[in-house]
Amino acid sequence: MKLFTKLFLLLFLAILSFSCTTDSIDTRVENIELSLITPEDKTIEIEILELINNYRLSKGLNALKNMSVVKSVAYTHTDYMVENNEVSHANFTKRSQYLKQYEGAKSVSENVAYGYTSAESVVSAWIKSEGHRVNIEGDFTNFDISAEENDEGKWYYTNIFIKK
């Protein structure tokens, strides 16, 4: 019985450790403002974008171009997750609507994650997850990412994909 309980808890934590969404899914919506601050690129963020593009190229897909406004929108959500100490897609509709209205996005998707300590580990987890892989392999033109570390050293990630 102890083994079953441990396996259940491990599965539950794995499900909570990363998530993805598309235009058709949204979670809790709050009245928040998109700050649109574009922080400097971190090494881990650059590595994640390179790994995703290398993966896409290996599958015969186009490389995606980074876009500072996408990074700004992603940063707003990553900052939200850090402040609330939770991984979620809260307010995804607001992010999607902003990118559609002001940047001409036709479609928007995002992957979120937390707890991974390297670019390789988070990208590998996303590729192993069907829903996240669908976003990574999707028909998109641009993307960007925000990775932020909380006070306890735990990383949170928001990776947004758009098609213009």
Coordinates of all heavy atoms in Angstrom, one line a residue, residues 5 8-9 11-12 22 27 31 39-40 49 62 65 69-70 82 85 87-88 93 105 118 120 131 140 154 157:
T5 N 0.7 4.5 -2.7 CA 0.6 5.9 -2.2 C 1.7 6.7 -2.7 O 1.5 7.8 -3.2 CB 0.6 5.9 -0.7 OG1 -0.5 5.1 -0.2 CG2 0.4 7.4 -0.2
F8 N 1.2 7.3 -6.5 CA 0.1 8.2 -6.7 C 0.6 9.6 -6.5 O 0.4 10.5 -7.3 CB -1.1 7.9 -5.8 CG -2.2 8.9 -5.9 CD1 -3.0 8.9 -7.0 CD2 -2.3 9.9 -4.9 CE1 -4.0 9.9 -7.1 CE2 -3.3 10.9 -5.1 CZ -4.2 10.9 -6.1
L9 N 1.3 9.9 -5.4 CA 1.9 11.2 -5.1 C 2.9 11.6 -6.1 O 2.9 12.8 -6.5 CB 2.5 11.2 -3.7 CG 1.6 11.2 -2.5 CD1 2.3 11.1 -1.2 CD2 0.7 12.4 -2.5
L11 N 2.9 10.7 -9.3 CA 2.2 11.0 -10.5 C 1.5 12.4 -10.4 O 1.5 13.2 -11.3 CB 1.1 9.9 -10.8 CG 0.2 10.2 -12.0 CD1 1.0 10.3 -13.3 CD2 -0.9 9.1 -12.0
F12 N 0.9 12.6 -9.2 CA 0.2 13.9 -8.9 C 1.2 15.1 -9.1 O 0.9 16.1 -9.7 CB -0.4 13.9 -7.6 CG -1.2 15.1 -7.2 CD1 -2.4 15.4 -7.8 CD2 -0.6 16.0 -6.3 CE1 -3.0 16.6 -7.5 CE2 -1.3 17.2 -6.0 CZ -2.5 17.5 -6.6
T22 N -3.9 26.2 -25.0 CA -4.1 26.8 -26.2 C -5.2 27.8 -26.1 O -5.8 28.0 -25.0 CB -4.5 25.7 -27.3 OG1 -5.8 25.2 -26.9 CG2 -3.5 24.7 -27.5
T27 N -8.0 29.3 -17.4 CA -8.3 29.0 -16.0 C -8.7 30.3 -15.3 O -9.1 31.2 -16.0 CB -7.0 28.4 -15.3 OG1 -5.9 29.3 -15.4 CG2 -6.7 27.0 -15.9
N31 N -8.5 40.4 -12.6 CA -8.3 41.7 -13.2 C -6.9 42.2 -13.0 O -6.6 42.9 -12.0 CB -9.3 42.7 -12.6 CG -9.3 44.1 -13.3 OD1 -8.8 44.1 -14.4 ND2 -9.8 45.1 -12.7
P39 N 12.5 42.1 -19.6 CA 13.8 42.0 -18.9 C 14.9 41.5 -19.8 O 14.6 41.0 -20.9 CB 13.5 41.0 -17.8 CG 12.3 40.2 -18.3 CD 11.5 41.1 -19.2
E40 N 16.1 41.7 -19.4 CA 17.2 41.1 -20.2 C 17.1 39.6 -20.3 O 16.6 38.9 -19.4 CB 18.5 41.5 -19.5 CG 19.1 42.8 -19.9 CD 20.5 43.0 -19.3 OE1 21.4 42.1 -19.5 OE2 20.7 44.0 -18.7
L49 N 15.1 28.6 -26.0 CA 14.7 29.0 -27.3 C 15.5 28.2 -28.4 O 14.9 27.7 -29.4 CB 14.8 30.5 -27.5 CG 13.9 31.3 -26.6 CD1 14.1 32.8 -26.8 CD2 12.4 31.0 -26.8
N62 N 9.7 25.0 -39.4 CA 10.4 26.3 -39.4 C 10.9 26.7 -38.0 O 10.3 26.3 -37.0 CB 9.5 27.4 -40.0 CG 8.3 27.6 -39.1 OD1 7.5 26.6 -38.8 ND2 8.1 28.8 -38.6
K65 N 10.9 32.8 -34.6 CA 11.6 34.1 -34.3 C 11.2 34.6 -32.9 O 10.0 34.6 -32.6 CB 11.3 35.1 -35.3 CG 11.7 34.8 -36.7 CD 11.3 35.8 -37.7 CE 11.6 35.3 -39.1 NZ 10.9 36.0 -40.2
V69 N 7.8 41.6 -27.5 CA 6.5 41.8 -26.8 C 5.9 40.4 -26.3 O 5.3 40.4 -25.2 CB 5.4 42.5 -27.7 CG1 5.0 41.6 -28.9 CG2 4.2 43.0 -27.0
V70 N 6.2 39.4 -27.0 CA 5.8 38.0 -26.5 C 6.6 37.7 -25.2 O 6.0 37.2 -24.2 CB 6.1 36.9 -27.5 CG1 5.8 35.6 -27.0 CG2 5.2 37.2 -28.8
V82 N 5.4 33.4 -9.8 CA 6.3 33.5 -8.7 C 5.7 34.1 -7.5 O 5.8 33.6 -6.4 CB 7.6 34.2 -9.2 CG1 8.5 34.6 -8.0 CG2 8.4 33.4 -10.2
N85 N 3.3 31.7 -6.0 CA 3.9 30.4 -5.7 C 3.1 29.2 -6.2 O 2.9 28.3 -5.5 CB 4.1 30.3 -4.2 CG 5.1 29.2 -3.8 OD1 6.1 28.9 -4.6 ND2 4.9 28.5 -2.7
V87 N 2.1 27.2 -10.3 CA 2.2 27.1 -11.7 C 0.8 27.0 -12.3 O -0.1 26.3 -11.7 CB 3.0 25.9 -12.2 CG1 2.4 24.6 -11.8 CG2 3.3 26.0 -13.7
S88 N 0.4 27.9 -13.2 CA -0.9 27.9 -13.7 C -1.0 28.6 -15.1 O 0.0 29.2 -15.6 CB -1.8 28.7 -12.8 OG -1.6 30.1 -12.9
T93 N -6.4 33.9 -21.3 CA -7.2 34.6 -22.3 C -6.8 36.0 -22.4 O -6.8 36.5 -23.5 CB -8.7 34.5 -21.9 OG1 -9.1 33.1 -21.8 CG2 -9.6 35.2 -22.8
A105 N -1.6 38.6 -33.7 CA -1.5 37.1 -33.6 C -2.8 36.5 -34.1 O -3.9 37.0 -33.7 CB -1.2 36.7 -32.2
S118 N 17.4 23.3 -15.5 CA 18.2 23.5 -16.7 C 17.3 23.6 -17.9 O 16.2 23.1 -17.9 CB 19.2 22.4 -16.9 OG 18.5 21.2 -17.3
E120 N 17.8 22.1 -20.7 CA 17.6 20.7 -21.2 C 16.5 20.0 -20.5 O 15.7 19.3 -21.1 CB 18.9 20.0 -21.1 CG 20.0 20.5 -22.0 CD 20.8 21.7 -21.4 OE1 20.5 22.0 -20.2 OE2 21.6 22.2 -22.1
G131 N 0.8 17.2 -25.0 CA 0.2 18.5 -25.1 C 1.2 19.6 -25.3 O 1.0 20.5 -26.1
F140 N 3.4 27.9 -35.8 CA 3.6 29.2 -35.2 C 4.7 29.9 -36.0 O 5.5 29.3 -36.7 CB 4.0 29.1 -33.8 CG 2.8 28.5 -32.9 CD1 3.0 27.2 -32.4 CD2 1.7 29.2 -32.7 CE1 1.9 26.6 -31.7 CE2 0.6 28.6 -32.0 CZ 0.8 27.4 -31.4
K154 N 13.6 28.1 -6.8 CA 12.7 27.3 -7.7 C 12.4 28.2 -8.9 O 12.0 29.3 -8.9 CB 11.4 27.0 -6.9 CG 10.4 26.1 -7.6 CD 9.2 26.0 -6.7 CE 8.4 24.8 -7.0 NZ 7.3 24.6 -6.1
Y157 N 8.5 29.0 -15.5 CA 8.7 29.2 -16.9 C 7.4 29.5 -17.6 O 6.4 28.8 -17.3 CB 9.3 28.0 -17.6 CG 10.6 27.5 -17.0 CD1 10.6 26.6 -16.0 CD2 11.8 28.0 -17.5 CE1 11.8 26.1 -15.4 CE2 13.0 27.6 -16.9 CZ 13.0 26.6 -15.9 OH 14.2 26.2 -15.4

